[in-house]
């Protein structure tokens, strides 16, 4: 990997710990101290704590924070320096170690670095810390070589995810960003819209190696990353959808009910007695019976999370949770092997996220319309028609029966035929099968054209009916949440994967790689705070001349 020089911190400031431990101080830029000056500076600055005089140095630091010194974060730091303490040194970061960080607060923000049980903190390293799966490694065999490794690494300084049951599980570590919402300048943002934000991480680790005369080499791994938001407004959409579906159900039942427009059309039909040859049938008032059952529609809308086709965003309506799988922001869906300093939350990517959330919620309207259409097509129409059946010559008494005509809406619109039955006694005037056969064609000619037109128009109106109910409920959410998401994510956090930098004067540089660098509140500019995770830093003696003795 080509060596890169930088005096900057990716979207943040270089942590003070780098300067305190690894940057080699010189009497003047470009001038190397004499042996006497070296000794004087070593005594004046104070041996290993200053570290500027070390011929080679390596440091693994699980957590870096702007303006927090090495002494402050030494619980999560493993360091080696040649010749004083060449290593290799290893250390596990476990729950006891993290306990030593209680009470630390992020400078300028005031948020605790680690929660103490009464006040939530920024960082929760989850079960991996409790099991001792997070480690540090540092070694400087001589002045020309340095190796460091941090995160899910072995005692030999190699990245190893095998001890982690599911490396992509984004609950392995989590950064809670909720407390930062109050510092945002987003119009319309309230606790009702978004009341919780966090960044979940899978297994992560880095290694850094440097041999004098060559370029530094780095490896990182980040198995998963997910932004998670909770929105009470989204959670409240469930009740709104339930009411919207109930309203829709009521509107359809009214349309098909005993006083609805379809029944009124039937009441306007002329039903003169039918002369069927052997018998005469006098039809009474045609009574429509139909009920649309939309319970399954609501169950379908709420079944499981809504997930975008590319897997980027998922929305759980029942909990109000919005998840953003950050792996889907990069080609191939893999956060590994990305170029140095890859920004995940670019303006384009934030736009993708906001559009995906809105599209998923708007998709509920399309799904509801399709569901209502399918339910209507499966709905059966039952017509009860009182009828007086009389033999042609009036010899036999009149039989008063009820003719039942049944057909599904979908069958009707696709050219299906009525299903007929008769309730009551025909008094021997004619057999049931014969009467049904005689009635089928006349009743089809009487009913099917009218029902086909009316129900076709009803199905055409479904998008409007759904828009007025479900669409209104969804629009109330997207109309308030949608405009907030982009500025919220832009101002809240910036995420850099494979963060790399070279600091220090020419010939005395320190190389650092971080699996992840998270800038908190970039909206504050110089007041933002950057947190580095799984950081590995190395420096070696670059000069062909030996160091002062």
């Amino acid at each position: 990997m080509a060596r890169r020089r930088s005096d900057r911190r990716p979207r943040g400031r270089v942590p003070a710990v780098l300067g305190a431990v690894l940057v080699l101080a010189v009497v003047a830029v470009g001038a190397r101290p004499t042996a006497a000056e070296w000794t004087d500076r070593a005594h004046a600055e104070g041996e290993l704590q200053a570290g500027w005089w070390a011929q080679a140095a390596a440091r693994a630091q699980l957590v870096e924070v702007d303006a927090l010194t090495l002494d402050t974060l030494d619980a999560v730091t493993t360091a080696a320096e040649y010749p004083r303490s060449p290593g290799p040194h290893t250390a596990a970061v476990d729950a006891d170690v993290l306990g030593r960080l209680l009470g630390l607060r992020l400078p300028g923000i005031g948020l605790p670095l680690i929660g103490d049980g009464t006040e939530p903190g920024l960082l929760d390293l989850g079960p991996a810390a409790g099991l001792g799966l997070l480690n540090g490694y540092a070694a400087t065999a001589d002045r020309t070589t340095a190796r460091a490794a941090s995160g899910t690494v072995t005692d030999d300084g190699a990245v190893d995810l095998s001890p982690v049951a599911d490396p992509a599980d984004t609950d392995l570590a989590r950064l809670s960003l909720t407390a930062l919402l109050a510092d945002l300048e987003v119009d319309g943002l309230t606790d009702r819209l978004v009341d919780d934000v966090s960044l979940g991480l899978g297994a992560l680790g880095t290694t850094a190696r440097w041999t004098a005369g060559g370029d530094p080499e780095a490896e990182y791994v980040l198995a998963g990353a997910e932004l998670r938001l909770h929105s009470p407004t989204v959670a409240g959409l469930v009740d709104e959808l339930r009411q919207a579906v109930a309203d829709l159900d009521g509107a359809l039942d009214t349309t098909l009910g005993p006083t609805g427009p379809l029944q009124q059309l039937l009441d306007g039909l002329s039903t003169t007695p039918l002369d069927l040859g052997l018998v005469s049938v006098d039809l009474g008032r045609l009574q429509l019976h139909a009920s649309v059952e939309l319970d399954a529609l609501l169950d379908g809308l709420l079944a499981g999370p809504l997930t975008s086709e590319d897997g980027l965003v998922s929305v759980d309506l029942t909990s109000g949770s919005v998840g953003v799988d950050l792996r889907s922001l990069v080609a191939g869906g893999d956060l590994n092997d990305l170029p140095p300093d890859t920004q995940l939350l670019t303006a384009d990517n934030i736009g993708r996220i906001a559009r995906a959330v809105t599209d998923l919620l708007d998709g509920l309207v399309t799904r509801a319309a399709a569901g209502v259409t399918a339910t209507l097509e499966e709905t059966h129409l039952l017509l009860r028609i009182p009828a007086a059946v009389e033999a042609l010559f009036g010899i036999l008494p009149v039989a008063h029966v009820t003719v039942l005509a049944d057909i599904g809406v979908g069958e009707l619109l696709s050219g299906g035929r009525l299903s007929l039955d008769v309730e009551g006694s025909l008094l021997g005037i004619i057999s049931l099968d014969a009467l049904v056969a005689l009635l089928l064609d006349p009743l089809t000619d009487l009913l099917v054209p009218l029902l086909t037109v009316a129900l076709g128009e009803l199905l055409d109106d479904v998008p409007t009916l759904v828009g007025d109910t479900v669409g209104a409920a969804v629009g109330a959410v997207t109309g308030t949440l949608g405009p907030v998401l982009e500025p919220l994510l832009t101002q809240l956090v910036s995420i850099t994967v494979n963060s790399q930098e070279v600091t220090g004067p020419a010939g005395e540089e320190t190389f650092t790689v971080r699996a992840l660098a998270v800038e908190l509140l970039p909206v504050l500019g110089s007041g933002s705070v950057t947190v580095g995770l799984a950081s590995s830093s190395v420096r070696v003696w670059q000069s062909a001349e030996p160091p002062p003795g």
Side-chain angles (χ1 to χ4, degrees):
M1 175 179 299
R3 186 166 63 197
R4 298 160 6 100
R5 290 188 48 77
S6 174
D7 294 324
R8 63 175 177 81
R9 176 80 183 258
R11 298 203 64 169
R13 300 184 302 279
V14 177
V17 291
L18 287 176
V21 181
L22 293 171
V23 177
L24 182 62
V26 293
V27 175
V29 175
R32 192 173 301 280
T34 65
E37 289 171 336
W38 192 281
T39 302
D40 291 343
R41 292 290 296 274
H43 284 290
E45 297 293 339
E47 302 190 28
L48 183 63
Q49 188 173 23
W52 61 265
W53 53 271
Q55 299 169 21
R59 189 201 72 221
Q61 190 165 341
L62 187 63
V63 183
E64 288 180 337
V65 181
D66 283 356
L68 291 184
T69 65
L70 174 64
D71 286 345
T72 307
L73 292 172
D74 63 354
V76 289
T77 302
T78 307
E81 297 186 358
Y82 183 85
R84 165 106 183 211
S85 180
H89 299 304
T90 61
V93 178
D94 55 23
D96 291 338
V97 169
L98 293 176
R100 293 159 57 187
L101 301 181
L102 292 176
L104 293 182
R105 291 182 176 270
L106 301 181
I109 295 179
L111 179 68
L113 179 61
I114 303 289
D116 61 4
T118 60
E119 183 179 9
L122 170 72
L123 185 61
D124 179 2
L125 292 177
L131 297 175
L133 299 179
L134 299 172
N135 304 299
Y137 171 92
T140 51
D142 55 40
R143 66 173 181 261
T144 65
T145 59
R147 292 179 59 211
S150 177
T152 310
V153 298
T154 67
D155 289 343
D156 296 325
V159 173
D160 181 14
L161 304 186
S162 61
V164 184
D166 181 8
D169 180 2
T170 54
D171 284 326
L172 291 176
R174 188 162 291 277
L175 279 73
S176 176
L177 309 176
T178 304
L180 309 180
L181 293 174
D183 293 308
L184 303 186
E185 301 171 357
V186 179
D187 292 338
L189 176 61
T190 66
D191 289 345
R192 181 64 188 166
L193 280 180
V194 178
D195 66 353
D196 187 79
V197 185
S198 65
L199 173 62
L201 302 173
L204 74 170
T206 61
T207 64
R209 298 171 295 278
W210 204 347
T211 300
D215 291 329
E217 300 177 6
E219 177 186 1
Y220 81 96
V221 63
L222 179 58
E226 178 201 39
L227 271 175
R228 188 180 300 167
L229 296 82
H230 179 265
S231 171
T233 297
V234 172
L237 182 57
V238 172
D239 289 337
E240 297 298 325
L241 287 175
R242 184 173 287 112
Q243 183 59 53
V245 171
D247 292 345
L248 188 58
D249 199 332
L252 292 173
D253 281 343
T254 297
T255 300
L256 301 178
T259 60
L262 195 54
Q263 179 63 60
Q264 294 173 17
L265 287 175
L266 293 172
D267 289 342
L269 286 176
S270 174
T271 55
T272 56
L274 301 175
D275 184 353
L276 303 179
L278 296 176
V279 294
S280 173
V281 178
D282 190 5
L283 300 176
R285 181 174 181 263
L286 288 73
Q287 298 175 323
L288 175 65
H289 297 268
S291 178
V292 180
E293 301 294 338
L294 293 181
D295 292 343
L297 172 64
L298 182 63
D299 293 340
L301 293 177
L302 302 181
L306 311 174
T307 303
S308 58
E309 290 185 5
D310 58 3
L312 174 61
V313 171
S314 61
V315 178
D316 188 331
L317 296 175
T318 56
S319 68
S321 176
V322 178
V324 182
D325 188 344
L326 299 179
R327 295 176 300 179
S328 297
L329 291 175
V330 299
D334 188 354
L335 293 173
N336 300 297
D337 299 320
L338 296 178
D341 299 330
T342 296
Q343 295 285 329
L344 290 185
L345 294 182
T346 62
D348 287 345
N349 284 342
I350 289 175
R352 282 182 59 191
I353 293 168
R355 286 192 300 274
V357 173
T358 300
D359 289 347
L360 283 175
L361 294 176
D362 285 343
L364 289 169
V365 182
T366 303
R367 291 174 55 198
V372 170
T373 298
T375 302
L376 271 176
E377 289 176 344
E378 294 169 0
T379 298
H380 271 256
L381 306 176
L382 177 63
L383 289 163
R384 299 180 65 88
I385 311 169
V389 181
E390 184 178 4
L392 185 59
F393 300 108
I395 301 174
L396 298 174
V398 177
H400 294 279
V401 297
T402 301
V403 178
L404 305 177
D406 179 86
I407 191 170
V409 172
E411 297 174 80
L412 175 71
L413 297 178
S414 60
R417 294 176 66 81
L418 294 172
S419 173
L420 298 183
D421 198 1
V422 175
E423 288 182 346
S425 173
L426 290 170
L427 305 177
I429 297 174
I430 191 173
S431 71
L432 174 62
D433 289 343
L435 179 60
V436 166
L438 291 172
L439 282 174
L440 183 57
D441 286 341
L443 285 181
T444 296
D445 293 340
L446 177 69
L447 298 175
V448 167
L450 180 145
L451 293 175
T452 298
V453 171
L455 291 166
E457 291 175 349
L458 177 59
L459 285 172
D460 290 340
D461 288 341
V462 164
T464 300
L465 291 171
V466 172
D468 290 343
T469 51
V470 176
V474 171
V477 175
T478 57
T480 53
L481 181 62
V484 162
L485 284 179
E486 288 195 48
L488 184 153
L489 294 177
T490 300
Q491 297 183 23
L492 181 65
V493 65
S494 173
I495 302 171
T496 304
V497 177
N498 190 18
S499 168
Q500 295 186 19
E501 64 182 353
V502 176
T503 55
E508 298 164 358
E509 304 99 326
T510 293
F511 171 76
T512 300
V513 58
R514 306 172 188 86
L516 204 66
V518 181
E519 184 184 5
L520 308 176
L521 296 177
V523 67
L524 299 182
S526 61
S528 67
V529 173
T530 299
V531 177
L533 297 176
S535 171
S536 297
S537 298
V538 288
R539 175 172 58 76
V540 295
W541 188 265
Q542 297 287 353
S543 174
E545 299 178 5

